Amino acid sequence: MGFRKKNKSPPVLSHEFVIQNHADMVSCVAMIILLGLMFEVTAKFAIMFITVQYNVTQTLDDRPEPVNFYQYGPKDIATVFFYLLIAIILHALIQEYILDKINRRLHLSKTKHSKFNESGQLAAFYLFSFVWGCSILTAEEFVTNPTLLWEGYPHTQMAFQVKFFYICQIAYWFHALPELYFQKVRKEDIPRQLYYICLYIFHITGAYVLNLHRLGLVLLIPHYLVELLFHASRLFYFSDENKQKGFTLWALLFVVARLLTLTLSVLTFGFGLSRTDNQGFSLAEGNFNVLTIRMTCLSAICLTQAWMMWKFINFQLKKWREQTQIQASKKKAASPKSKPIKKDSARGGSVNGVMKAEDRTSPRARKSKTS
């Protein structure tokens, strides 16, 4: 892990050395790019990595001052690469100075330790992205008017915050791929994490390239809220297993988010874009409004939502079975085993094989009493 002091240093460039010092190595690469701004020869290349490219200045009727908009292009790959490095550094900082300290206090098992780190990192990212996305949505008009999601397509021009938001989103999910190696994720957890990482990259990059950033932004914010609630609930659950109320609220919002995603997707691809005047395919204009692409996008979203609902149902069934087994074991432990009291009536009023004190006299004494 980066920034961590070790008593025994592993061999240079070994796997353990790279894992322990990956944040320091990435920081050096980022510093080299930043130092490129100091020299005139390299400044134009360094700016391509750091700042957002492809700005277009326009003058609007309702604003006397010119407004800067942004488009996408091949240079965005360099910008995504730089902020991928920043994401790796921030990941190491959160792990080292927050999550590892909490893990030492909780004394979790290896399985819970891995899940705790995963939920901690994702909860921080979802919280930051949700707050940032909400601030962007408050400044946009298509929140109150859903028809703007498809009217005026293709939406080739983006505000600075919108483009920078997508650059950071793509960079974060690409950085999650090498983190599987840096964090020593268990082999059985790698396929599950690869699934959702690749789905995020596919959907977010697709919305960015196909000029569907409005729809993508509207769908991401409620989804991030639901995921934030889930991982926050899991963090509280690891600290105290009795804290499970957050999962109930998450289950309700999860279903609502899936229905909202399907509704907006069908409205946009099935009704909105199919009825616009600007139909056709043009890479120069950024227009991808053809039936094949619309159906492909809608099918991808519907299949993803169906897969998520399938995983959600399996998770709920597994949780219900575990709770049923726990309750059954508690009932067995609470019911005491009552021992039956043996009464032997054949031995003259003896209880449990013991003769009463008044019946312990000899036969001669009994005859004298009767006489």
Side-chain angles (χ1 to χ4, degrees), residues 260-278:
L260 178 63
T261 301
L262 290 174
T263 302
L264 291 177
S265 300
V266 171
L267 285 176
T268 302
F269 294 108
F271 298 96
L273 291 176
S274 60
R275 297 180 180 180
T276 57
D277 298 331
N278 195 4

Side-chain angles (χ1 to χ4, degrees), residues 150 152-157 210-211 213 278 282 285-289:
W150 56 81
Y153 183 85
H155 307 132
T156 56
Q157 298 178 352
L210 298 177
N211 292 315
H213 54 85
N278 195 4
S282 176
E285 297 179 358
N287 188 7
F288 303 94
N289 191 8

Side-chain angles (χ1 to χ4, degrees), residues 199-260:
L199 284 175
Y200 275 116
I201 293 174
F202 174 74
H203 285 83
I204 296 175
T205 306
Y208 183 71
V209 173
L210 298 177
N211 292 315
L212 296 168
H213 54 85
R214 294 183 180 181
L215 178 64
L217 187 61
V218 172
L219 297 182
L220 270 180
I221 301 309
H223 174 74
Y224 279 171
L225 175 62
V226 175
E227 293 299 311
L228 170 63
L229 183 59
F230 171 76
H231 289 285
S233 301
R234 194 157 74 162
L235 291 175
F236 285 116
Y237 173 77
F238 288 143
S239 62
D240 186 1
E241 294 186 356
N242 295 323
K243 297 179 180 180
Q244 300 186 17
K245 295 182 179 179
F247 290 108
T248 305
L249 180 59
W250 163 76
L252 178 62
L253 293 180
F254 183 89
V255 177
V256 174
R258 303 287 74 78
L259 293 176
L260 178 63

Side-chain angles (χ1 to χ4, degrees), residues 91-116:
H91 190 116
L93 290 173
I94 294 173
Q95 184 68 41
E96 178 71 17
Y97 295 105
I98 299 177
L99 296 180
D100 285 349
K101 291 183 179 180
I102 299 175
N103 276 320
R104 295 190 192 102
R105 296 180 181 179
L106 296 179
H107 304 288
L108 300 174
S109 62
K110 290 184 178 180
T111 303
K112 291 184 177 181
H113 179 82
S114 177
K115 292 182 178 180
F116 184 87

Side-chain angles (χ1 to χ4, degrees), residues 41 55 58 63 71 79 88 101-102 126 267 294 313 347-348 358-359 368:
V41 179
N55 60 318
Q58 288 187 352
R63 295 183 182 181
Q71 299 175 348
T79 311
I88 293 176
K101 291 183 179 180
I102 299 175
Y126 288 138
L267 285 176
R294 291 199 307 267
I313 293 172
R347 292 189 177 183
E358 57 188 15
D359 295 334
S368 63

Side-chain angles (χ1 to χ4, degrees), residues 116-133:
F116 184 87
N117 290 336
E118 178 189 3
S119 293
Q121 294 287 348
L122 290 176
F125 169 73
Y126 288 138
L127 177 61
F128 175 76
S129 299
F130 175 73
V131 175
W132 188 8

